[in-house]
Amino acid sequence: MHILVIEDEKRLAYLLRRVLQEERHTVDLAHDGQSGLDLALSDTYDVVILDLMLPGIDGLEICRQMRAEHVTTPVLMLTARGAIEDRVTGLNVGADDYLTKPFAMAELLARINALLRRRDRRFDDNLQLTVGDLTLDLVRHEARRAGRVIELTAKEFALLEYLMRHPGQVLSRTQIINAVWRYDIDALSNVVDIYIHYLREKIDQGFDYPLIKTVRGVGYKIEARESGR
């Protein structure tokens, strides 16, 4: 899994990264509120571990802005505070769980695993994605447009799934690389453009209208044709 740790106490942040990497997770670190918010809003993470007290923007505001931008990544909030009202406030702004410092690493890992299971159950409720006349069956690993089966490679399927999970949302090349390629050595600077070209040839060519759109200077999005157009 790809996990973001936003924690200004660097010794703790590095310890969390080491423990999570030993569990075979990929971990990014941020040590202040603004850089943490920028990363969290990229919506490329499976879990965000978020400290409440941060320089600049605090954890409550980061969580609030994530939810305002419809980023649904599970958030595990860390705090030295133990008061019930603090925990309630964190949960009310959109945190999924709360852990008070100091904590045992075994409990942290158990809570992360519980968040991931909960997230996976939500995904299981939606095993078919649809944009316009394009459908993506996540169980059969099959794409169809207007009833026609479209053959995709594994990476093309992953890219299309990421686009279709964010219909109408402009996704930057960096967001796409982080979500689809992660730290794959094949993720060259122009890999997104190359694979978008591959997808367009398969899902747009020969159909009445294109689904994949280029937003110049920003990135790409997928959206259905507006009614009446």
Side-chain angles (χ1 to χ4, degrees), residues 13-132:
Y14 294 138
L15 175 60
L16 289 171
R17 181 171 64 181
R18 191 185 76 212
V19 169
L20 292 168
Q21 286 177 337
E22 288 173 356
E23 296 294 314
R24 305 192 61 152
H25 299 303
T26 298
V27 182
D28 291 345
L29 297 181
H31 300 300
D32 64 84
Q34 186 59 62
S35 60
L37 177 62
D38 292 342
L39 288 170
L41 291 180
S42 70
D43 195 16
T44 62
Y45 295 96
D46 297 295
V47 173
V48 173
I49 300 175
L50 175 61
D51 188 31
L52 180 61
M53 301 299 293
L54 293 164
I57 302 172
D58 67 21
L60 291 176
E61 184 58 27
I62 290 174
C63 193
R64 188 179 291 113
Q65 290 195 38
M66 286 175 63
R67 300 316 185 215
E69 294 295 325
H70 309 292
V71 176
T72 60
T73 307
V75 172
L76 173 60
M77 193 165 281
L78 305 179
T79 180
R81 299 175 179 177
I84 292 176
E85 56 267 27
D86 291 322
R87 297 198 295 271
V88 170
T89 301
L91 295 171
N92 282 341
V93 299
D96 296 273
D97 201 358
Y98 213 100
L99 195 55
T100 303
K101 300 176 183 176
F103 51 83
M105 287 297 171
E107 182 179 4
L108 175 81
L109 294 174
R111 288 177 181 266
I112 290 172
N113 289 333
L115 289 176
L116 293 173
R117 288 195 299 271
R118 198 180 310 163
R119 182 211 60 173
D120 289 342
R121 283 197 296 271
R122 290 202 303 268
F123 282 173
D124 288 343
D125 291 337
N126 185 13
L127 297 176
Q128 181 170 287
L129 304 176
T130 302
V131 175

Side-chain angles (χ1 to χ4, degrees), residues 129-164:
L129 304 176
T130 302
V131 175
D133 58 353
L134 175 67
T135 60
L136 197 66
D137 191 315
L138 303 182
V139 175
R140 297 180 179 175
H141 213 73
E142 180 181 87
R144 289 177 178 265
R145 183 162 186 195
R148 184 194 306 175
V149 176
I150 300 169
E151 298 293 336
L152 299 174
T153 67
K155 197 62 73 175
E156 289 167 353
F157 189 95
L159 172 56
L160 183 58
E161 179 183 348
Y162 183 61
L163 292 172
M164 293 180 71

